[in-house]
């Protein structure tokens, strides 16, 4: 039976069923047309058989194509190929699950192995390839049935080893009755009965088996069954579960639900929600879905990821994993890949003593445990692609959301979303949703001023609301006045463990080392000294005394790290609050005096005139406190001329720090 989106797709006709089944058993591999004709058409030597095969394939394509984006049955050299992931075909999925279950059992992961065995056996709904009478189908049916029985018996062995003998007696009784000449389930039944205190019944099973084999085959039971009879007669201690290590309790499979709580105040982001929802629900066959959200600190990446994850969590039947990778947590080092994998493995039910101690082994175990599961994994606050890459699950039914300040451009098979600040109306709605509505209604103008000074940054709005909640006797106007002063704004945006300064500083700490990280940090300070609304590589080249390509590399790295955002071809913009922080840092770390290179490139259109030989950079930037030395060629420009024209024609050049 074929299904699409949970609904059956009716495939009628013996040859259509035969061709589709034969292609499915070799999914992802070409099947020669001659082989299909020989197996499905059999003895028919009709000259039109090749044309009939073409018609059958065409009909199957028409039937299945509405449910797949790509051509599901492809024409390949000399034949056809079913382009469907093996995990979507029950026979292949059964084999994969059974193999993973045995691997988990061999590693001592009893609960995981039990869950995988159950999933594999649940795929059976009757005889394999029932209704197809061709010889090739009978051979495949016999092979699959033997695999089914072996897997069933392996699962029973696992349950017996776990002390589950009482529960398996009815199942074994039915299984042994259906397979009277199969000795393994009869030996298992004898062991289960003996451990359940029913020794006489266990011996009766042996006598019945001996009679059946003598009547049907004229032989005695095999050596293993005879040894079991002797062990029961002698009450061999080896039959008992005496060791505490043997008495492993079969627990229910671990289904982690680790999502942090969302927030009722989540606002706007309609387009972003739709994009992420589509990424998580439109899967690509054979590959896990990976959606990466990047943007500056405090922009709402984690809130968006958690909000959408709650909406789609019920689609992921094997659970939701959440891991904070701590790339932007003040005072903490980012998790190493091994630390992160260790946490994920424990969340998946692996005992701490069984967690591998080397990265390669941990990656292999993680892939094994996730290869057949349907998991949603949220990797929050990631540092870079090298930290994230080992944490991508192997299962094609899995999905991953990564949040990071850095663009994960080198992460394979990943869709990317850049998150920017909220629009004014959305920011106002968020602030109103997290602030006492009575206070907002009482001072609507002050509320609007607070929202404007937070510049669309959700973290800043949250901090402002928290400060108001902590000071119920203060007016909104008081906070609005604090925020209106650029020199006090970052001070006002601190409360408890939340601070805009800390959010920005931790990103600076994780800029890479020489040379690109040093250049980016240097450029960050230089941009803080300028009050131009946008910046170019040419301007940074002039102020830093660098080649333009070096300035462009530094600016692009600041974009990747979330400090800048594109503002048109070759132009960059810095968020207002990040700019304030950059100015503070420049005032503290730029050495004094710093030479201003004011040339004809930086002062335009006859603005040179009288200018005091020694002044402060406050002339050019109202918030920077750096003392500067101005060249004599600039002395004819008045301070007012320079200040008033800065957004159009002034570029301030600093010597390399």
């Amino acid at each position: 039976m074929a299904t699409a989106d949970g609904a059956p797709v009716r495939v009628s006709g013996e040859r259509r069923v035969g061709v589709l089944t034969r292609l499915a058993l070799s999914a992802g591999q070409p099947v020669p047309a001659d082989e299909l004709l020989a197996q499905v058409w059999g003895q028919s030597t009709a000259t039109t058989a090749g044309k009939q095969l073409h018609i059958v394939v065409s009909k199957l394509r028409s039937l299945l194509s509405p449910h797949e984006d790509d051509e599901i049955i492809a024409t390949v050299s000399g034949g056809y190929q079913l382009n469907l992931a093996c995990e979507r075909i029950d026979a292949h999925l059964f084999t994969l699950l059974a193999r993973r279950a045995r691997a988990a059992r061999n590693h001592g992961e009893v609960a995981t192995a039990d869950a995988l065995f159950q999933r594999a056996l649940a795929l059976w709904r009757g005889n394999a390839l029932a209704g197809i009478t061709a010889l090739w189908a009978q051979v495949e049916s016999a092979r699959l049935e033997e695999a089914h029985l072996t897997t069933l018996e392996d699962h029973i062995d696992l349950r017996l080893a776990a002390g589950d003998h009482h529960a398996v007696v009815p199942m074994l009784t039915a299984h042994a009755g259906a397979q009277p000449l199969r000795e393994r389930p009869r030996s298992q039944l004898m062991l289960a009965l003996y451990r359940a205190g029913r020794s006489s019944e266990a011996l009766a099973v042996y006598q019945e088996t001996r009679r059946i084999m003598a009547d049907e085959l004229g032989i005695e039971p095999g050596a293993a069954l005879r040894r079991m009879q002797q062990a029961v007669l002698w009450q061999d201690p080896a039959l008992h579960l005496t060791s505490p290590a043997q008495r492993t309790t079969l627990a229910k499979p671990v289904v982690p639900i680790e999502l942090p709580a969302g927030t009722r105040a989540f606002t706007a982001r309609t387009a972003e929600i739709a994009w992420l929802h589509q990424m998580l629900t439109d899967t690509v066959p054979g590959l896990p879905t990976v959606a990466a959200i990047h943007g500056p600190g405090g922009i709402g990446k984690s809130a968006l990821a958690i909000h959408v994850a709650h909406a789609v969590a019920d689609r992921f039947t094997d659970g939701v994993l959440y891991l904070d990778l701590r790339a932007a947590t003040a005072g903490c080092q980012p998790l190493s890949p091994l630390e992160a994998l260790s946490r994920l493995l424990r969340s998946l039910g692996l005992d701490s003593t069984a967690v591998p101690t080397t990265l390669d082994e941990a990656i292999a175990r993680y892939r094994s445990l996730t290869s057949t599961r349907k998991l949603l994994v949220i990797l929050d606050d990631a540092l870079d692609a090298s930290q994230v890459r080992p944490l991508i699950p192997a299962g094609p039914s899995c999905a991953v959301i990564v949040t990071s300040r850095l663009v994960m451009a080198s992460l394979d098979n990943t869709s990317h979303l850049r998150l920017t600040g909220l629009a004014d109306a959305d920011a106002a709605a968020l602030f109103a949703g997290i602030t006492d509505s009575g206070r907002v209604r009482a001072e609507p103008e002050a509320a609007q001023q607070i929202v404007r000074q937070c510049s669309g940054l959700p973290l800043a709005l949250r901090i402002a609301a928290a400060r108001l909640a902590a000071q119920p006797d203060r007016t909104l106007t008081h906070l609005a006045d604090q925020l209106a002063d650029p020199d006090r704004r970052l001070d006002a945006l601190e409360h408890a463990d939340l601070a805009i300064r800390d959010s920005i500083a931790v990103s600076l700490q994780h800029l890479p080392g020489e040379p690109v990280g040093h250049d980016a940090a240097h450029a960050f300070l230089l941009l803080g000294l300028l009050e131009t609304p946008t910046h170019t590589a040419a301007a940074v080249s002039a102020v830093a005394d660098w080649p333009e390509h070096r300035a462009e590399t530094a600016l692009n790295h600041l974009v990747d790290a979330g400090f800048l955002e594109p503002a048109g071809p070759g132009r960059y913009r810095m968020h207002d609050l990040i700019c304030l922080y950059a100015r503070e840092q420049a005032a503290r770390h730029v050495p004094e005096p710093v030479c201003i290179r004011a040339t004809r490139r930086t002062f335009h259109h006859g603005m040179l005139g009288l200018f005091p030989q020694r002044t402060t950079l406050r002339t050019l930037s109202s918030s920077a406190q750096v003392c500067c030395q101005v060249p004599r060629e600039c002395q004819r420009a008045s301070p007012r001329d320079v200040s008033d024209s800065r957004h159009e024609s002034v570029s301030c050049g600093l010597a390399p720090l």
Side-chain angles (χ1 to χ4, degrees):
M1 181 180 73
T3 61
D5 298 325
V9 177
R10 182 174 179 80
V11 181
S12 59
E14 181 179 349
R15 286 175 177 167
R16 291 184 196 176
V17 172
V19 169
L20 182 59
T21 302
R22 181 64 189 83
L23 291 173
L25 288 171
S26 299
Q29 300 176 350
V31 180
D34 291 345
E35 187 174 319
L36 285 170
L37 289 170
Q39 293 180 338
V40 178
W41 270 255
Q43 299 300 318
S44 173
T45 57
T47 56
T48 60
K51 185 176 181 180
Q52 291 175 19
L53 173 59
H54 179 76
I55 292 172
V56 165
V57 170
S58 179
K59 293 290 186 183
L60 288 172
R61 284 171 174 163
S62 298
L63 187 66
L64 300 174
S65 60
H67 307 288
E68 295 291 329
D69 295 332
D70 301 321
E71 187 176 52
I72 191 169
I73 301 179
T75 300
V76 296
S77 178
Y80 300 94
Q81 177 175 311
L82 183 68
N83 289 329
L84 201 62
C86 289
E87 293 81 2
R88 297 175 65 183
I89 297 166
D90 283 356
H92 293 298
L93 180 58
F94 166 77
T95 301
L96 178 62
L97 288 169
R99 183 167 64 247
R100 299 301 186 194
R102 294 183 182 103
R105 175 199 62 195
N106 294 340
H107 283 112
E109 300 159 15
V110 178
T112 299
D114 179 55
L116 289 168
F117 275 129
Q118 289 188 51
R119 287 182 60 189
L121 294 168
L123 294 171
W124 284 81
R125 294 178 292 272
N127 295 327
L129 309 186
I132 306 178
T133 58
L135 178 60
W136 70 271
Q138 294 177 25
V139 172
E140 283 296 317
S141 177
R143 179 185 66 81
L144 289 169
E145 183 60 32
E146 177 60 29
H148 176 216
L149 296 176
T150 300
T151 301
L152 174 62
E153 291 157 9
D154 284 349
H155 187 211
I156 290 171
D157 271 347
L158 181 80
R159 297 182 66 182
L160 286 170
D164 209 15
H165 40 267
H166 290 285
V168 300
V169 167
M171 178 194 303
L172 276 170
T173 301
H175 180 38
Q179 304 290 332
L181 299 178
R182 198 173 177 89
E183 294 191 30
R184 186 182 178 191
R186 290 182 169 258
S187 178
Q188 291 173 322
L189 178 57
M190 291 178 66
L191 177 60
L193 289 168
Y194 177 78
R195 287 181 177 171
R198 299 158 65 179
S199 300
S200 59
E201 293 176 63
L203 293 171
V205 170
Y206 176 80
Q207 295 300 330
E208 181 189 14
T209 305
R210 185 183 185 195
R211 178 186 60 78
I212 292 172
M213 297 189 73
D215 291 345
E216 297 290 334
L217 304 175
I219 60 173
E220 289 288 319
L225 200 61
R226 294 198 303 271
R227 285 196 297 271
M228 179 59 71
Q229 182 217 20
Q230 292 298 317
V232 172
L233 284 171
W234 297 338
Q235 298 184 3
D236 191 335
L239 298 182
H240 295 274
L241 287 172
T242 55
S243 168
Q246 285 182 287
R247 291 186 175 276
T248 307
T249 302
L250 282 180
K252 291 183 178 180
V254 175
V255 180
I257 305 295
E258 298 182 344
L259 267 181
T263 173
R264 289 178 295 178
F266 189 88
T267 304
R269 304 292 194 197
T270 304
E272 293 87 347
I273 290 171
W275 178 88
L276 187 54
H277 191 277
Q278 183 178 5
M279 289 299 104
L280 298 178
T281 54
D282 293 351
T283 58
V284 177
L287 292 172
T289 299
V290 183
I293 308 169
H294 65 274
I299 206 70
K301 302 179 294 295
S302 299
L304 173 63
I306 292 168
H307 179 78
V308 176
H310 276 288
V312 301
D314 59 349
R315 292 174 174 263
F316 296 90
T317 53
D318 291 313
V320 181
L321 298 175
Y322 174 87
L323 185 60
D324 183 357
L325 295 173
R326 302 194 316 203
T329 302
C332 295
Q333 287 297 314
L335 293 184
S336 70
L338 181 57
E339 289 175 315
L341 281 169
S342 297
R343 297 188 183 197
L344 290 171
L345 289 170
R346 289 194 293 271
S347 293
L348 290 170
L350 204 61
D351 187 85
S352 296
T353 59
V355 173
T357 56
T358 67
L359 180 59
D360 287 344
E361 290 178 338
I363 291 172
R365 187 68 58 83
Y366 180 63
R367 289 174 179 167
S368 175
L369 288 178
T370 59
S371 62
T372 57
R373 299 196 188 193
K374 192 171 186 179
L375 286 163
L376 175 60
V377 182
I378 294 94
L379 302 174
D380 198 12
D381 194 15
L383 178 63
D384 53 29
S386 64
Q387 184 193 37
V388 168
R389 196 172 287 113
L391 312 181
I392 303 299
S397 297
C398 294
V400 183
I401 306 174
V402 183
T403 72
S404 176
R405 299 186 181 191
L406 188 70
V407 182
M408 296 285 172
S410 63
L411 206 58
D412 294 336
N413 305 311
T414 300
S415 301
H416 300 275
L417 173 66
R418 181 180 184 85
L419 210 58
T420 57
L422 293 171
D424 290 346
D426 294 333
L430 175 59
F431 183 70
I434 57 179
T435 308
D436 184 338
S437 58
R439 298 173 74 180
V440 173
R441 286 194 300 270
E443 298 181 87
E445 292 184 4
Q448 291 177 7
Q449 292 175 24
I450 292 171
V451 169
R452 282 197 301 271
Q453 299 300 343
C454 289
S455 303
L457 194 70
L459 175 60
L461 293 164
R462 284 179 56 207
I463 295 173
R467 288 201 60 161
L468 290 170
Q471 299 174 333
D473 57 328
R474 294 289 180 90
T475 64
L476 270 65
T477 300
H478 178 77
L479 178 59
D481 290 342
Q482 289 181 311
L483 293 172
D485 183 351
D487 291 337
R488 301 176 63 194
R489 192 175 306 159
L490 294 183
D491 291 329
L493 290 176
E494 289 187 13
H495 180 73
D497 61 338
L498 300 177
I500 295 297
R501 283 192 183 91
D502 291 346
S503 176
I504 301 170
V506 72
S507 290
L508 280 173
Q509 293 171 6
H510 293 310
L511 286 173
E514 300 280 3
V516 65
H518 181 271
D519 281 357
H522 187 129
F524 179 78
L525 293 180
L526 299 183
L527 294 177
L529 295 176
L530 303 179
E531 290 192 354
T532 51
T534 61
H535 311 289
T536 65
V540 173
S541 172
V543 300
D545 195 23
W546 290 345
E548 190 168 325
H549 67 84
R550 180 178 175 185
E552 184 176 14
T553 299
L555 289 173
N556 287 333
H557 194 73
L558 289 174
V559 171
D560 290 343
F563 292 109
L564 294 175
E565 60 184 38
R571 304 195 73 83
Y572 307 85
R573 179 185 295 109
M574 183 177 282
H575 189 278
D576 291 350
L577 297 177
I578 297 177
C579 187
L580 286 179
Y581 180 81
R583 290 175 189 168
E584 283 189 352
Q585 295 305 303
R588 293 171 184 169
H589 300 296
V590 174
E592 182 181 3
V594 175
C595 180
I596 298 180
R597 299 181 186 88
T599 67
R600 294 183 183 274
R601 291 184 302 171
T602 58
F603 288 88
H604 295 174
H605 307 300
M607 290 186 177
L608 300 179
L610 288 176
F611 201 89
Q613 182 171 355
R614 185 171 182 82
T615 184
T616 66
L617 195 60
R618 182 174 289 277
T619 308
L620 300 179
S621 172
S622 61
S623 62
Q625 303 297 320
V626 181
C627 185
C628 303
Q629 187 74 29
V630 180
R632 293 183 179 276
E633 64 195 40
C634 304
Q635 292 180 7
R636 291 176 298 167
S638 71
R640 181 177 182 83
D641 288 336
V642 176
S643 178
D644 290 346
S645 63
R646 60 180 177 257
H647 292 309
E648 296 180 353
S649 58
V650 176
S651 179
C652 171
L654 301 179
L657 304 185

